[in-house]
Amino acid sequence: MNVNAIIQNQSLKAYNTFGIDVNARYFAEFNKIETLSEVLASATFQQNKQLILGGGSNILFTKNFDGIVLHNLLKGISKVQVSEHDYHVSAAAGEVWHDLVLYAITNNLGGIENLSLIPGYVGASPMQNIGAYGVEIKDIFVSLKAMEVATGLIKTFTKEECAFGYRESFFKRAGKGKYIILEVTFQLSTKHQLNTSYGAIEQELAKMNAEPNIKNISQAVINIRSSKLPNPKELGNAGSFFKNPTITIAHYETLKKQYLDLPGYPINAQNIKTAAGYLIEKCGLKGFRKEDAGVHQMQALVLVNYGKASGHQIFDLSSLVIEKVKENFGIELEREVNII
Ligand code: FAD
Ligand code: EPU
């Protein structure tokens, strides 16, 4: 690659959905694996801190990035039939996630319709095992290809190797910063078990007067999401800022005496997951705003940038939220968003 293709002092404002105005010391885009290999071999890459960026929808920049940012633009979706009803669909990491959902719907392939309208690129989807409305990508994940940063070698990861958990994977833990995900393969099916059990999907289908099928479920999910999640094009945000916390059943039962409608989703005999958005709202923080950093008015789990907030201001607000929830409920919230 021509070293001139590495830009200096690139603003990242348009590359993160919080709309935080920071600069990257170096910035390069790649739409071919060969280009990526050349960047990896360059002195600029090897001598600096590195960050791989997709759609920037799960990231909070708290300062200028004093290193090199690589923006992934690898494109392409293909499918291979593996049995009468099942297909392996492979998408390059720079494909927009929702475009893959639309591809699946157009090809009558079920499995990811509940994950409609999640922002970001395919390459980041395994990072935190994206999930919504009762489905996570681990449910339909087959394998992924990733380039090892240290060697430039391409490795295939199985589902087990990815160690998926709730908003977790190997790539967010031990593999952090060590691999660049290039392509992800999912198993989708023309004879797919629809999942309408979660949240308001059934009510929304009834409101739409629509039968449950892949296309209608996708539309129902889009309608529900649009009614409560802010559109990053209008209001900077990165979706849920915190994970929903897991607590003991004993702790839950104690809290429930005071908070009769405290949501609870049992995980096993000892533990239950509760809703961080509920806890934040009960702390009186829903709609709270300090300068341009705020807690969203419709969904307290989402922190927003009203315009000119710095990453630091958003981060400080998240610390305040953690402190208040701990004080009121004895629960320590964990940030979901990647803090840079
Ligand atoms: P980025 O923000 O660009 O990157 C996220 C992390 O992944 C960074 O650490 C980055 O370095 C790393 N990364 C990115 N690409 C690669 C790659 N190719 N190889 C290696 N590492 C990489 N998430 C959910 O799970 N469920 C939801 O319902 C949901 N709703 C959302 C709603 C809104 C309005 C918004 C703004 C966000 C929402 N999110 C949700 C979070 C976000 O959309 C997902 O986490 C998404 O997968 C992030 O993709 P991205 O390409 O924007 O990642
Ligand atoms: N709630 C409140 N007040 C709020 C927000 C939520 O009381 O301000 C209550 C709701 O009434 C409901 C419960 O909390 O009883 C759960 O709310 P919701 O269904 O809106 O989902 P969530 O738990 O807040 C999670 C994911 C979302 C995902 C939705 C749908 C996490 C951290 N968040 O949100 O993912 O889209 O479920 O499946 O697990 C993301 O990761 O960025 C994200 C948006």
Side-chain angles (χ1 to χ4, degrees), residues 131-133 166-167 198 225 228 239-240 242-244 263 265 275 277-278 281 286 299-301 336:
Y133 297 93
Y166 164 62
R167 299 296 192 269
Y198 190 97
R225 293 181 67 97
K228 52 182 163 185
S240 300
F242 306 95
K243 293 181 184 182
N244 281 327
Y265 319 97
Y278 177 97
E281 181 173 344
K286 196 170 184 171
Q299 222 311 356
L301 197 43
E336 185 211 86

Side-chain angles (χ1 to χ4, degrees), residues 52 54-58 119-121 124 127-128 130-131 167 181 225 237 239:
I52 311 302
S57 65
N58 203 26
Y121 296 179
M127 280 292 294
Q128 68 156 10
I130 56 167
R167 299 296 192 269
I181 296 169
R225 293 181 67 97
N237 76 94

Side-chain angles (χ1 to χ4, degrees), residues 18-247:
F18 257 122
I20 303 294
D21 198 2
V22 289
N23 282 352
R25 182 155 177 221
Y26 300 105
F27 180 87
E29 299 191 304
F30 60 95
N31 58 11
K32 290 198 198 101
I33 296 198
E34 298 73 47
T35 315
L36 174 62
S37 298
E38 286 169 32
V39 179
L40 257 60
S42 72
T44 310
F45 184 86
Q46 294 191 356
Q47 292 165 7
N48 284 283
K49 262 198 321 184
Q50 304 130 6
L51 177 73
I52 311 302
L53 195 59
S57 65
N58 203 26
I59 216 159
L60 177 68
F61 289 104
T62 54
K63 50 184 175 301
N64 286 329
F65 189 76
D66 188 22
I68 178 162
V69 169
L70 296 188
H71 186 216
N72 185 339
L73 294 176
L74 295 172
K75 298 283 183 199
I77 305 180
S78 60
K79 66 176 180 356
V80 177
Q81 189 165 11
V82 292
S83 68
E84 191 187 352
H85 299 291
D86 297 329
Y87 290 78
H88 281 182
V89 175
S90 298
E95 286 286 346
V96 169
W97 173 262
H98 189 66
D99 287 348
L100 177 64
V101 174
L102 294 176
Y103 171 95
I105 293 169
T106 305
N107 286 278
N108 190 32
L109 293 171
I112 51 175
E113 59 281 359
N114 293 46
L115 302 176
S116 293
L117 215 62
I118 296 182
Y121 296 179
V122 167
S125 65
M127 280 292 294
Q128 68 156 10
N129 176 29
I130 56 167
Y133 297 93
V135 175
E136 293 179 326
I137 63 152
K138 74 168 172 45
D139 303 331
I140 31 82
F141 180 91
V142 177
S143 63
L144 65 78
K145 284 190 189 142
M147 186 179 281
E148 189 176 23
V149 172
T151 60
L153 296 175
I154 296 178
K155 185 179 167 190
T156 299
F157 286 79
T158 62
K159 184 162 148 177
E160 289 65 35
E161 287 169 318
C162 291
F164 291 125
Y166 164 62
R167 299 296 192 269
E168 278 298 344
S169 76
F170 165 78
F171 300 98
K172 227 178 156 177
R173 299 275 166 192
K176 194 175 167 126
K178 295 188 179 145
Y179 292 92
I180 300 171
I181 296 169
L182 304 174
E183 183 188 84
V184 190
T185 300
F186 301 100
Q187 177 153 328
L188 304 180
S189 176
T190 52
K191 202 176 178 192
H192 158 68
Q193 183 70 45
L194 300 172
N195 182 343
T196 59
S197 60
Y198 190 97
I201 295 183
E202 271 170 12
Q203 283 150 267
E204 186 60 33
L205 285 170
K207 208 157 92 188
M208 289 159 56
N209 198 14
E211 53 157 341
N213 60 32
I214 304 169
K215 196 165 176 232
N216 291 340
I217 291 176
S218 169
Q219 191 55 53
V221 168
I222 289 173
N223 295 350
I224 300 166
R225 293 181 67 97
S226 308
S227 73
K228 52 182 163 185
L229 288 168
N231 179 348
K233 288 192 179 120
E234 291 157 13
L235 188 58
N237 76 94
S240 300
F241 200 90
F242 306 95
K243 293 181 184 182
N244 281 327
T246 296
I247 58 176

